[in-house]
Amino acid sequence: MIKVLFVCLGNICRSPMGEAVFRHKVIEAGLEGQIQVDSAGTGDWHIGDKPHKGTLGMLSHHGIDDQGLFARQVNSRDFSDFDYIIAMDASNVTNLQSFVQQGELNKANIYKMLDFLPESTVKDVPDPYFTGNFEEVYDMINKSSDRLLAHIRNQHQI
């Protein structure tokens, strides 16, 4: 099983959107038995909460299931449990380093979401919690998810 974790700050806007969009693409590709998807936040403010209403609205608008999305915080085990950790911005990548225990097995490949959209002039997915730009964020995540799935399929020959 290939495991993919999407990470943002609070796990209520960008990363649950990434989780839901990517899971939708995995199911459409018939790969749900081979790829597992989750999300988490680097902060602990929203643990147990459903995603932001803006995220839920975008998912609903695009016909993407939001069942099972509840905020959780990243933990040190995620670095050995997941093959891919996809951060939404550079700050998330920096914050992720504080969760890795010294000497702990780290199998995860850490990327930023927009690493998979190299033609983008923007390198970080902006946080719609502060900007309200959920449609723009959805577009970035949707396009990047196509490329991420292609990357995983190529790397794992599936």
PDB file of all heavy atoms in Angstrom, residues 6-7 85-94 96 109-118 122-125 144 148:
ATOM      1  N   PHE A   6      -1.315  14.579   3.149  1.00  0.00           N
ATOM      2  CA  PHE A   6      -1.328  16.002   2.813  1.00  0.00           C
ATOM      3  C   PHE A   6      -1.264  16.797   4.106  1.00  0.00           C
ATOM      4  O   PHE A   6      -1.966  16.475   5.071  1.00  0.00           O
ATOM      5  CB  PHE A   6      -2.597  16.357   2.022  1.00  0.00           C
ATOM      6  CG  PHE A   6      -2.603  15.758   0.650  1.00  0.00           C
ATOM      7  CD1 PHE A   6      -3.144  14.503   0.438  1.00  0.00           C
ATOM      8  CD2 PHE A   6      -2.043  16.438  -0.418  1.00  0.00           C
ATOM      9  CE1 PHE A   6      -3.131  13.929  -0.824  1.00  0.00           C
ATOM     10  CE2 PHE A   6      -2.019  15.870  -1.684  1.00  0.00           C
ATOM     11  CZ  PHE A   6      -2.567  14.608  -1.887  1.00  0.00           C
ATOM     12  N   VAL A   7      -0.441  17.856   4.125  1.00  0.00           N
ATOM     13  CA  VAL A   7      -0.205  18.619   5.353  1.00  0.00           C
ATOM     14  C   VAL A   7      -0.335  20.117   5.096  1.00  0.00           C
ATOM     15  O   VAL A   7       0.188  20.634   4.108  1.00  0.00           O
ATOM     16  CB  VAL A   7       1.200  18.325   5.929  1.00  0.00           C
ATOM     17  CG1 VAL A   7       1.504  19.196   7.129  1.00  0.00           C
ATOM     18  CG2 VAL A   7       1.322  16.850   6.304  1.00  0.00           C
ATOM     19  N   ILE A  85       4.746  12.732   1.876  1.00  0.00           N
ATOM     20  CA  ILE A  85       4.138  13.796   2.672  1.00  0.00           C
ATOM     21  C   ILE A  85       4.144  15.031   1.789  1.00  0.00           C
ATOM     22  O   ILE A  85       5.199  15.484   1.344  1.00  0.00           O
ATOM     23  CB  ILE A  85       4.880  14.039   3.994  1.00  0.00           C
ATOM     24  CG1 ILE A  85       4.792  12.785   4.877  1.00  0.00           C
ATOM     25  CG2 ILE A  85       4.303  15.255   4.723  1.00  0.00           C
ATOM     26  CD1 ILE A  85       5.528  12.887   6.205  1.00  0.00           C
ATOM     27  N   ILE A  86       2.944  15.543   1.523  1.00  0.00           N
ATOM     28  CA  ILE A  86       2.772  16.650   0.587  1.00  0.00           C
ATOM     29  C   ILE A  86       2.356  17.886   1.377  1.00  0.00           C
ATOM     30  O   ILE A  86       1.209  17.997   1.836  1.00  0.00           O
ATOM     31  CB  ILE A  86       1.707  16.321  -0.487  1.00  0.00           C
ATOM     32  CG1 ILE A  86       1.954  14.947  -1.123  1.00  0.00           C
ATOM     33  CG2 ILE A  86       1.639  17.444  -1.508  1.00  0.00           C
ATOM     34  CD1 ILE A  86       3.274  14.802  -1.850  1.00  0.00           C
ATOM     35  N   ALA A  87       3.305  18.812   1.561  1.00  0.00           N
ATOM     36  CA  ALA A  87       3.057  20.051   2.308  1.00  0.00           C
ATOM     37  C   ALA A  87       2.513  21.114   1.365  1.00  0.00           C
ATOM     38  O   ALA A  87       2.848  21.140   0.180  1.00  0.00           O
ATOM     39  CB  ALA A  87       4.349  20.540   2.956  1.00  0.00           C
ATOM     40  N   MET A  88       1.685  21.983   1.910  1.00  0.00           N
ATOM     41  CA  MET A  88       1.075  23.020   1.083  1.00  0.00           C
ATOM     42  C   MET A  88       1.967  24.245   0.890  1.00  0.00           C
ATOM     43  O   MET A  88       1.800  24.978  -0.070  1.00  0.00           O
ATOM     44  CB  MET A  88      -0.277  23.442   1.661  1.00  0.00           C
ATOM     45  CG  MET A  88      -1.306  22.335   1.600  1.00  0.00           C
ATOM     46  SD  MET A  88      -1.722  21.923  -0.104  1.00  0.00           S
ATOM     47  CE  MET A  88      -2.425  20.300   0.102  1.00  0.00           C
ATOM     48  N   ASP A  89       2.906  24.465   1.804  1.00  0.00           N
ATOM     49  CA  ASP A  89       3.803  25.618   1.632  1.00  0.00           C
ATOM     50  C   ASP A  89       5.140  25.370   2.333  1.00  0.00           C
ATOM     51  O   ASP A  89       5.303  24.373   3.054  1.00  0.00           O
ATOM     52  CB  ASP A  89       3.138  26.914   2.105  1.00  0.00           C
ATOM     53  CG  ASP A  89       2.784  26.940   3.577  1.00  0.00           C
ATOM     54  OD1 ASP A  89       3.544  26.399   4.409  1.00  0.00           O
ATOM     55  OD2 ASP A  89       1.742  27.533   3.913  1.00  0.00           O
ATOM     56  N   ALA A  90       6.075  26.263   2.099  1.00  0.00           N
ATOM     57  CA  ALA A  90       7.423  26.129   2.657  1.00  0.00           C
ATOM     58  C   ALA A  90       7.413  26.162   4.176  1.00  0.00           C
ATOM     59  O   ALA A  90       8.190  25.453   4.828  1.00  0.00           O
ATOM     60  CB  ALA A  90       8.328  27.227   2.107  1.00  0.00           C
ATOM     61  N   SER A  91       6.532  26.941   4.757  1.00  0.00           N
ATOM     62  CA  SER A  91       6.417  26.998   6.212  1.00  0.00           C
ATOM     63  C   SER A  91       6.002  25.647   6.781  1.00  0.00           C
ATOM     64  O   SER A  91       6.500  25.217   7.824  1.00  0.00           O
ATOM     65  CB  SER A  91       5.418  28.084   6.610  1.00  0.00           C
ATOM     66  OG  SER A  91       5.220  28.094   8.003  1.00  0.00           O
ATOM     67  N   ASN A  92       5.097  24.959   6.089  1.00  0.00           N
ATOM     68  CA  ASN A  92       4.689  23.621   6.521  1.00  0.00           C
ATOM     69  C   ASN A  92       5.879  22.668   6.505  1.00  0.00           C
ATOM     70  O   ASN A  92       6.035  21.854   7.420  1.00  0.00           O
ATOM     71  CB  ASN A  92       3.590  23.046   5.627  1.00  0.00           C
ATOM     72  CG  ASN A  92       2.325  23.862   5.579  1.00  0.00           C
ATOM     73  OD1 ASN A  92       1.654  23.869   4.557  1.00  0.00           O
ATOM     74  ND2 ASN A  92       1.969  24.568   6.646  1.00  0.00           N
ATOM     75  N   VAL A  93       6.705  22.750   5.475  1.00  0.00           N
ATOM     76  CA  VAL A  93       7.891  21.888   5.383  1.00  0.00           C
ATOM     77  C   VAL A  93       8.808  22.149   6.582  1.00  0.00           C
ATOM     78  O   VAL A  93       9.276  21.211   7.238  1.00  0.00           O
ATOM     79  CB  VAL A  93       8.646  22.107   4.058  1.00  0.00           C
ATOM     80  CG1 VAL A  93       9.969  21.346   4.058  1.00  0.00           C
ATOM     81  CG2 VAL A  93       7.791  21.696   2.873  1.00  0.00           C
ATOM     82  N   THR A  94       9.048  23.404   6.888  1.00  0.00           N
ATOM     83  CA  THR A  94       9.881  23.755   8.038  1.00  0.00           C
ATOM     84  C   THR A  94       9.278  23.207   9.330  1.00  0.00           C
ATOM     85  O   THR A  94       9.989  22.611  10.154  1.00  0.00           O
ATOM     86  CB  THR A  94      10.044  25.286   8.140  1.00  0.00           C
ATOM     87  OG1 THR A  94      10.675  25.753   6.939  1.00  0.00           O
ATOM     88  CG2 THR A  94      10.872  25.674   9.334  1.00  0.00           C
ATOM     89  N   LEU A  96       7.298  20.700   9.702  1.00  0.00           N
ATOM     90  CA  LEU A  96       7.341  19.242   9.719  1.00  0.00           C
ATOM     91  C   LEU A  96       8.628  18.725  10.355  1.00  0.00           C
ATOM     92  O   LEU A  96       8.618  17.685  11.025  1.00  0.00           O
ATOM     93  CB  LEU A  96       7.208  18.685   8.299  1.00  0.00           C
ATOM     94  CG  LEU A  96       5.802  18.662   7.722  1.00  0.00           C
ATOM     95  CD1 LEU A  96       5.846  18.413   6.218  1.00  0.00           C
ATOM     96  CD2 LEU A  96       4.930  17.641   8.426  1.00  0.00           C
ATOM     97  N   ASN A 109       8.928  10.678   1.549  1.00  0.00           N
ATOM     98  CA  ASN A 109       9.445  11.678   0.629  1.00  0.00           C
ATOM     99  C   ASN A 109       8.601  12.930   0.844  1.00  0.00           C
ATOM    100  O   ASN A 109       7.375  12.863   0.714  1.00  0.00           O
ATOM    101  CB  ASN A 109       9.290  11.192  -0.812  1.00  0.00           C
ATOM    102  CG  ASN A 109      10.146   9.993  -1.109  1.00  0.00           C
ATOM    103  OD1 ASN A 109      11.360  10.091  -1.113  1.00  0.00           O
ATOM    104  ND2 ASN A 109       9.523   8.859  -1.351  1.00  0.00           N
ATOM    105  N   ILE A 110       9.231  14.039   1.178  1.00  0.00           N
ATOM    106  CA  ILE A 110       8.494  15.270   1.451  1.00  0.00           C
ATOM    107  C   ILE A 110       8.584  16.196   0.240  1.00  0.00           C
ATOM    108  O   ILE A 110       9.678  16.473  -0.263  1.00  0.00           O
ATOM    109  CB  ILE A 110       9.034  15.973   2.719  1.00  0.00           C
ATOM    110  CG1 ILE A 110       8.879  15.050   3.924  1.00  0.00           C
ATOM    111  CG2 ILE A 110       8.293  17.294   2.942  1.00  0.00           C
ATOM    112  CD1 ILE A 110       9.520  15.589   5.205  1.00  0.00           C
ATOM    113  N   TYR A 111       7.414  16.630  -0.218  1.00  0.00           N
ATOM    114  CA  TYR A 111       7.304  17.546  -1.338  1.00  0.00           C
ATOM    115  C   TYR A 111       6.370  18.686  -0.944  1.00  0.00           C
ATOM    116  O   TYR A 111       5.562  18.548  -0.032  1.00  0.00           O
ATOM    117  CB  TYR A 111       6.672  16.865  -2.559  1.00  0.00           C
ATOM    118  CG  TYR A 111       7.451  15.727  -3.143  1.00  0.00           C
ATOM    119  CD1 TYR A 111       7.201  14.420  -2.753  1.00  0.00           C
ATOM    120  CD2 TYR A 111       8.416  15.960  -4.113  1.00  0.00           C
ATOM    121  CE1 TYR A 111       7.904  13.363  -3.311  1.00  0.00           C
ATOM    122  CE2 TYR A 111       9.126  14.914  -4.680  1.00  0.00           C
ATOM    123  CZ  TYR A 111       8.863  13.612  -4.276  1.00  0.00           C
ATOM    124  OH  TYR A 111       9.554  12.571  -4.834  1.00  0.00           O
ATOM    125  N   LYS A 112       6.465  19.773  -1.692  1.00  0.00           N
ATOM    126  CA  LYS A 112       5.423  20.799  -1.629  1.00  0.00           C
ATOM    127  C   LYS A 112       4.430  20.481  -2.744  1.00  0.00           C
ATOM    128  O   LYS A 112       4.809  19.993  -3.809  1.00  0.00           O
ATOM    129  CB  LYS A 112       5.996  22.202  -1.816  1.00  0.00           C
ATOM    130  CG  LYS A 112       6.797  22.692  -0.630  1.00  0.00           C
ATOM    131  CD  LYS A 112       7.078  24.180  -0.683  1.00  0.00           C
ATOM    132  CE  LYS A 112       7.604  24.626  -2.018  1.00  0.00           C
ATOM    133  NZ  LYS A 112       7.862  26.067  -2.080  1.00  0.00           N
ATOM    134  N   MET A 113       3.174  20.775  -2.506  1.00  0.00           N
ATOM    135  CA  MET A 113       2.113  20.469  -3.477  1.00  0.00           C
ATOM    136  C   MET A 113       2.437  21.029  -4.856  1.00  0.00           C
ATOM    137  O   MET A 113       2.268  20.342  -5.867  1.00  0.00           O
ATOM    138  CB  MET A 113       0.784  21.037  -2.979  1.00  0.00           C
ATOM    139  CG  MET A 113      -0.413  20.610  -3.782  1.00  0.00           C
ATOM    140  SD  MET A 113      -0.860  18.922  -3.367  1.00  0.00           S
ATOM    141  CE  MET A 113      -1.689  18.395  -4.834  1.00  0.00           C
ATOM    142  N   LEU A 114       2.912  22.252  -4.904  1.00  0.00           N
ATOM    143  CA  LEU A 114       3.152  22.886  -6.196  1.00  0.00           C
ATOM    144  C   LEU A 114       4.465  22.454  -6.847  1.00  0.00           C
ATOM    145  O   LEU A 114       4.761  22.882  -7.965  1.00  0.00           O
ATOM    146  CB  LEU A 114       3.032  24.403  -6.083  1.00  0.00           C
ATOM    147  CG  LEU A 114       1.613  24.884  -5.745  1.00  0.00           C
ATOM    148  CD1 LEU A 114       1.546  26.403  -5.689  1.00  0.00           C
ATOM    149  CD2 LEU A 114       0.565  24.339  -6.711  1.00  0.00           C
ATOM    150  N   ASP A 115       5.226  21.562  -6.196  1.00  0.00           N
ATOM    151  CA  ASP A 115       6.364  20.934  -6.871  1.00  0.00           C
ATOM    152  C   ASP A 115       5.863  20.146  -8.079  1.00  0.00           C
ATOM    153  O   ASP A 115       6.608  19.928  -9.034  1.00  0.00           O
ATOM    154  CB  ASP A 115       7.112  19.981  -5.936  1.00  0.00           C
ATOM    155  CG  ASP A 115       7.891  20.702  -4.851  1.00  0.00           C
ATOM    156  OD1 ASP A 115       8.070  21.932  -4.932  1.00  0.00           O
ATOM    157  OD2 ASP A 115       8.320  20.009  -3.893  1.00  0.00           O
ATOM    158  N   PHE A 116       4.608  19.725  -8.021  1.00  0.00           N
ATOM    159  CA  PHE A 116       4.025  18.941  -9.103  1.00  0.00           C
ATOM    160  C   PHE A 116       3.344  19.807 -10.158  1.00  0.00           C
ATOM    161  O   PHE A 116       2.715  19.287 -11.078  1.00  0.00           O
ATOM    162  CB  PHE A 116       3.052  17.900  -8.525  1.00  0.00           C
ATOM    163  CG  PHE A 116       3.766  16.919  -7.653  1.00  0.00           C
ATOM    164  CD1 PHE A 116       3.789  17.088  -6.281  1.00  0.00           C
ATOM    165  CD2 PHE A 116       4.475  15.861  -8.199  1.00  0.00           C
ATOM    166  CE1 PHE A 116       4.488  16.203  -5.472  1.00  0.00           C
ATOM    167  CE2 PHE A 116       5.178  14.976  -7.406  1.00  0.00           C
ATOM    168  CZ  PHE A 116       5.185  15.148  -6.036  1.00  0.00           C
ATOM    169  N   LEU A 117       3.482  21.105 -10.015  1.00  0.00           N
ATOM    170  CA  LEU A 117       2.949  22.051 -10.999  1.00  0.00           C
ATOM    171  C   LEU A 117       4.061  23.065 -11.309  1.00  0.00           C
ATOM    172  O   LEU A 117       3.957  24.246 -10.989  1.00  0.00           O
ATOM    173  CB  LEU A 117       1.700  22.737 -10.438  1.00  0.00           C
ATOM    174  CG  LEU A 117       0.750  23.383 -11.428  1.00  0.00           C
ATOM    175  CD1 LEU A 117       0.186  22.356 -12.394  1.00  0.00           C
ATOM    176  CD2 LEU A 117      -0.373  24.076 -10.674  1.00  0.00           C
ATOM    177  N   PRO A 118       5.162  22.604 -11.920  1.00  0.00           N
ATOM    178  CA  PRO A 118       6.346  23.445 -12.085  1.00  0.00           C
ATOM    179  C   PRO A 118       6.124  24.705 -12.912  1.00  0.00           C
ATOM    180  O   PRO A 118       6.867  25.673 -12.763  1.00  0.00           O
ATOM    181  CB  PRO A 118       7.368  22.524 -12.744  1.00  0.00           C
ATOM    182  CG  PRO A 118       6.566  21.438 -13.372  1.00  0.00           C
ATOM    183  CD  PRO A 118       5.329  21.281 -12.522  1.00  0.00           C
ATOM    184  N   VAL A 122       3.603  30.680  -8.743  1.00  0.00           N
ATOM    185  CA  VAL A 122       3.431  30.624  -7.290  1.00  0.00           C
ATOM    186  C   VAL A 122       4.000  29.294  -6.815  1.00  0.00           C
ATOM    187  O   VAL A 122       3.762  28.257  -7.445  1.00  0.00           O
ATOM    188  CB  VAL A 122       1.935  30.736  -6.916  1.00  0.00           C
ATOM    189  CG1 VAL A 122       1.727  30.619  -5.432  1.00  0.00           C
ATOM    190  CG2 VAL A 122       1.339  32.018  -7.452  1.00  0.00           C
ATOM    191  N   LYS A 123       4.754  29.295  -5.755  1.00  0.00           N
ATOM    192  CA  LYS A 123       5.389  28.066  -5.272  1.00  0.00           C
ATOM    193  C   LYS A 123       4.719  27.477  -4.041  1.00  0.00           C
ATOM    194  O   LYS A 123       4.969  26.337  -3.681  1.00  0.00           O
ATOM    195  CB  LYS A 123       6.883  28.315  -4.988  1.00  0.00           C
ATOM    196  CG  LYS A 123       7.651  28.738  -6.228  1.00  0.00           C
ATOM    197  CD  LYS A 123       7.518  27.716  -7.332  1.00  0.00           C
ATOM    198  CE  LYS A 123       8.158  28.163  -8.632  1.00  0.00           C
ATOM    199  NZ  LYS A 123       7.754  27.368  -9.772  1.00  0.00           N
ATOM    200  N   ASP A 124       3.861  28.254  -3.375  1.00  0.00           N
ATOM    201  CA  ASP A 124       3.152  27.802  -2.184  1.00  0.00           C
ATOM    202  C   ASP A 124       1.655  27.945  -2.404  1.00  0.00           C
ATOM    203  O   ASP A 124       1.197  28.955  -2.945  1.00  0.00           O
ATOM    204  CB  ASP A 124       3.539  28.636  -0.954  1.00  0.00           C
ATOM    205  CG  ASP A 124       4.977  28.419  -0.516  1.00  0.00           C
ATOM    206  OD1 ASP A 124       5.508  27.300  -0.691  1.00  0.00           O
ATOM    207  OD2 ASP A 124       5.574  29.360   0.030  1.00  0.00           O
ATOM    208  N   VAL A 125       0.885  26.941  -1.965  1.00  0.00           N
ATOM    209  CA  VAL A 125      -0.570  27.048  -2.025  1.00  0.00           C
ATOM    210  C   VAL A 125      -0.983  28.027  -0.922  1.00  0.00           C
ATOM    211  O   VAL A 125      -0.709  27.787   0.250  1.00  0.00           O
ATOM    212  CB  VAL A 125      -1.246  25.673  -1.802  1.00  0.00           C
ATOM    213  CG1 VAL A 125      -2.761  25.818  -1.794  1.00  0.00           C
ATOM    214  CG2 VAL A 125      -0.797  24.668  -2.866  1.00  0.00           C
ATOM    215  N   SER A 144      -2.367  19.919  -9.478  1.00  0.00           N
ATOM    216  CA  SER A 144      -1.193  19.273  -8.880  1.00  0.00           C
ATOM    217  C   SER A 144      -1.465  17.811  -8.564  1.00  0.00           C
ATOM    218  O   SER A 144      -0.577  16.966  -8.682  1.00  0.00           O
ATOM    219  CB  SER A 144      -0.780  19.999  -7.601  1.00  0.00           C
ATOM    220  OG  SER A 144      -0.393  21.317  -7.871  1.00  0.00           O
ATOM    221  N   LEU A 148       0.719  14.583  -9.342  1.00  0.00           N
ATOM    222  CA  LEU A 148       1.186  13.743  -8.231  1.00  0.00           C
ATOM    223  C   LEU A 148       0.797  12.290  -8.488  1.00  0.00           C
ATOM    224  O   LEU A 148       1.620  11.386  -8.319  1.00  0.00           O
ATOM    225  CB  LEU A 148       0.604  14.232  -6.904  1.00  0.00           C
ATOM    226  CG  LEU A 148       0.829  13.332  -5.689  1.00  0.00           C
ATOM    227  CD1 LEU A 148       2.313  13.111  -5.414  1.00  0.00           C
ATOM    228  CD2 LEU A 148       0.133  13.931  -4.457  1.00  0.00           C
TER     229      LEU A 148
END
